[in-house]
Amino acid sequence: MEEITLKVEGMMCRGCEKRIENAVANIEGVEKVVANHENRTVTIIKDQKVELKVIKEKIEDIGFEVKE
């Protein structure tokens, strides 16, 4: 397992956190997702086989912006 933390813009409340958590948790190989709107981060625990690109696209598809 690997843990990554992404900076994500556009989260304003707990509802935004839940949208991201639910979307990313549905990716096969993702073990855990914790979004935090106050510090604008999403922490993900995933299998090595899950590509970062797939996670970023999923977050952006639901209306948020992943910062590098």
Side-chain angles (χ1 to χ4, degrees), residues 16 43 51 68:
C16 294
T43 302
E51 293 184 34
E68 294 296 327

Side-chain angles (χ1 to χ4, degrees), residues 4-57:
I4 58 168
T5 299
L6 302 173
K7 282 284 191 188
V8 177
E9 294 294 327
M11 287 190 286
M12 302 294 184
C13 63
R14 184 69 189 129
C16 294
E17 293 172 356
K18 289 307 262 179
R19 282 183 58 211
I20 290 173
E21 290 171 354
N22 291 337
V24 175
N26 285 328
I27 299 170
E28 186 176 336
V30 171
E31 181 73 24
K32 183 176 181 181
V33 184
V34 177
N36 184 315
H37 74 277
E38 291 177 357
N39 61 16
R40 297 186 300 261
T41 60
V42 178
T43 302
I44 301 147
I45 298 175
K46 66 178 192 67
D47 288 341
Q48 296 286 338
K49 66 181 179 173
V50 180
E51 293 184 34
L52 184 57
K53 176 184 167 196
V54 172
I55 294 170
K56 288 180 178 180
E57 287 175 354

